[in-house]
Amino acid sequence: MKHLKPINQKAGRIEAQIQRELAADELDVVGLESRPPDGPHIPLGCSLVFFPGWEADSQGGTAGLCQPVERDLFDCHLACFWPAHVPDQLNHSVDWTGKCASAQKDWRKLDLVFP
Amino acid sequence: MTPAVAEPGAMAPIALREFHPFEAAGERYVYMVPSAGVFKLDDPSAAVIDALSTGPRMPDDIVGELSGRFPEERLRETLQELAGIKAVGTADAPREEVVNDLPPEGFPLTTMVLNVTNKCNLACTYCYEYGEDKIVDTTFGDQPKFMLDETARDSVEFLLKESGDLPVAHLTFFGGETLLNFPVLQDTVAYARRRGAEVGKRIEFSLTTNATLLRPDIIEWLAENEIGVTVSIDGPKEMQDRMRVFHSGRGSYETVQPKIKELLRKHRTRPIGARVTLTRENLDIRRIYEHLREDMGFWEIGFAPVTTDSARDYALEDEGLDDMLGQFEELAFEWLEAAVENEHHGFSNVKDTLEEIHKGVSKAYPCGAGLGLLGVSTAGEVSLCHRFAGSDDHGFGTVTDGIDREQQREFLEDHHIKNKTDCHTCWARPICSGGCYHESQVRNGSTTGPNLHFCTWVRSWTHTCLEIYGELAERNPEFLARFDA
């Protein structure tokens, strides 16, 4: 800080915290609704994505509420680190989505998988 | 992350947020609330605060208004820095809620105050233990007059256990008149030393006494065992003898004066302090200070207004409090001049407040009572503090059963600053947090409320201490390092 001089110990800690925040700005965890200066924030993985949006959509409004269930399914399948909901496409069910080019139209073609 | 409030074209009006401004040594400062950070302002930041003091404005307007005096870039930097410390923010931002952050479970005990007796050989008019405002029936109640060796030893075990992993624990003896139970003191100190060594914990000892029972062998024992001593005394003879009397009504000055001199001469292992009770009649603080510091030779002298119902004729009320404040300020600035020269001055009230300012404490509770400090009655009942020892309504378990953590939690929930709504708009709350529980109990019949009768006093005194802190930071900043740690 150039214009404010920290005098007591607490002020020193406040300044250090501000410095840390400035330094960590790009790496900071931000909510989906935050818009950092360099554009929209794209989170990775469903744990950071507010789907299916029961209360609010990713814009904070209600227009995009209730995504189709298949969208939710595919978020688990593609971006999520948690493999419980969908077949293991790496090892056992490599072709699981083979007949499903577009989830919203073709989701019925997804096969059942029996391990 | 601090929001960008000062970008050119920013469309949100900005306003001042919560802080207390003060000046010292020709410089301007802010005491931030509730963070308790102290920052010195430069010219542009002071100008921005002045400009905003008339009401919320657009950042561009502020910059435009002051651009004749300072370059635009510096003004925007200043605005952003002020936003960083939360001295300014967007005008429609809600007030910062007081966070209800309860201390972690199992908070360790740092200080145990042991009431080794509730009997006293003096009959001070204003006594909170025996006088008109007493909380516990010390005369006919079921508390034993003296603590037994066994209870004291159980208390030591209690302290060792409840202080958890802390390397040091404090044991303070209190009364009644503490020295009426000297045999138990001796036994307890020896026992605590031995047990402390066994479990690898250092125990520090202190006691409060009226000095009437000091004898050469007791003084020697105090010095040998490095026991910190606080003497309750009201000043020169005519002041001491007004309220601090024996049961016969005879004043105690002639008795204590030679004993205190002896104590101060022989006991050099710990600094010895005096603790003065101020009343409506006993308010010549300067004279008391000089007598106790210079004639008697106490290292430190601390003053506190008597805790009593406002109806008592010795109670300190508005005018008396103003008088007390004026004299406190005078002594405080004297303390400052000594500190600038790196010299000792014995007025301890100012030192205590400055230490809190230096560290930037922001309290959820006015003191450690019920948290890091607990009192123990002669029967071994654990209480909020020594002033509540033996009170059924303010108990926290027993030394044999340990701290009643559920009761403690309930107390901490009820007494959090979050619940003291009167305090939420006061800038002095980081330091005051509502004030003494015992004072509140005596004045308001409950420990939960803040001591509203002291508000003006506390704010004025805190302001003075901030000024002294700022002066010291300017004139002898190295001195402040003494408050580190």
Side-chain angles (χ1 to χ4, degrees), chain B residues 260-295:
Chain B
I260 292 172
K261 288 246 172 187
E262 180 79 359
L263 173 75
L264 291 165
R265 197 164 45 240
K266 294 262 176 69
H267 187 351
R268 316 293 295 177
T269 53
R270 290 280 294 273
I272 294 175
R275 198 264 184 209
V276 178
T277 299
L278 297 171
T279 61
R280 187 176 300 178
E281 292 89 17
N282 193 30
L283 207 49
D284 192 345
I285 297 171
R286 154 77 49 194
R287 176 132 182 266
I288 299 169
Y289 176 81
E290 281 171 2
H291 179 73
L292 296 180
R293 178 85 186 108
E294 282 143 38
D295 304 344

Side-chain angles (χ1 to χ4, degrees), chain B residues 23-27 29 467 470-472 474-475:
Chain B
E23 288 179 35
E27 302 287 345
Y29 296 85
E467 287 176 339
E471 284 254 353
L472 203 49
E474 209 45 46
R475 292 167 62 192

Side-chain angles (χ1 to χ4, degrees), chain B residues 15 42 89 95 109 114 135 149 170 180 191 208 222 239 244-245 253 258 334 347 388 397 416 441 452-453 463:
Chain B
D42 69 353
R95 271 185 77 84
L109 183 63
L114 212 54
I135 292 172
D149 263 342
H170 302 266
L180 279 173
Y191 181 78
T208 297
L222 291 170
M239 298 172 170
R244 300 192 65 81
V245 294
Y253 185 84
E334 208 176 277
F347 182 43
F388 292 92
H416 196 278
Q441 175 72 38
L452 299 177
H453 55 289
H463 181 80

